[in-house]
Amino acid sequence: MTDKARTSSQRLAIVEDMTIYNAAAQKNSLIEALGACDELELDLSAVAEIDTAGFQLLVLLKREALRRGKQARIVAHSAAVRELVDFYNMAAEFGDPMLIPAQEAR
């Protein structure tokens, strides 16, 4: 991809589960999307299930963005993603605000 095709920011929504069954294809999509922009916003609001393989993809994306001098932000967390990030105690490490929708806060 040439520099002319690169955009400054891009939003990517993951709609499949982030599990070991989808990890290889999702890894390629994430790295490709990161290469096409300077700032990647990752929307995980539709992710119903995430396991350790999916979590590793998030860590990989964050580290690869840092290595390339780019930004990768999670802008919407599903309940499953919030639960796993909390389980691994990585919210501060990721640095992305985790907002809880009002209907889930009750």
Side-chain angles (χ1 to χ4, degrees), residues 1-94:
M1 185 168 279
T2 65
D3 287 335
K4 291 180 183 177
R6 181 185 296 158
T7 61
S8 62
S9 67
Q10 178 178 334
R11 186 176 184 112
L12 177 65
I14 304 292
V15 296
E16 304 92 12
D17 292 339
M18 293 187 75
T19 63
I20 193 163
Y21 304 109
N22 300 326
Q26 288 173 343
K27 176 184 176 185
N28 293 336
S29 295
L30 291 170
I31 297 302
E32 184 178 301
L34 184 63
C37 64
D38 295 321
E39 296 180 16
L40 180 63
E41 294 182 345
L42 191 58
D43 181 342
L44 302 179
S45 61
V47 175
E49 186 176 344
I50 183 169
D51 63 11
T52 301
F55 180 76
Q56 289 173 331
L57 288 177
L58 299 180
V59 172
L60 170 76
L61 179 66
K62 290 289 195 168
R63 288 187 179 163
E64 187 64 16
L66 182 63
R67 186 183 75 76
R68 295 182 186 194
K70 298 182 176 197
Q71 290 257 333
R73 290 187 303 274
I74 302 171
V75 295
H77 301 74
S78 70
V81 172
R82 286 193 312 270
E83 186 177 308
L84 193 69
V85 170
D86 186 49
F87 177 78
Y88 286 119
N89 196 25
M90 290 290 287
E93 179 73 23
F94 282 177

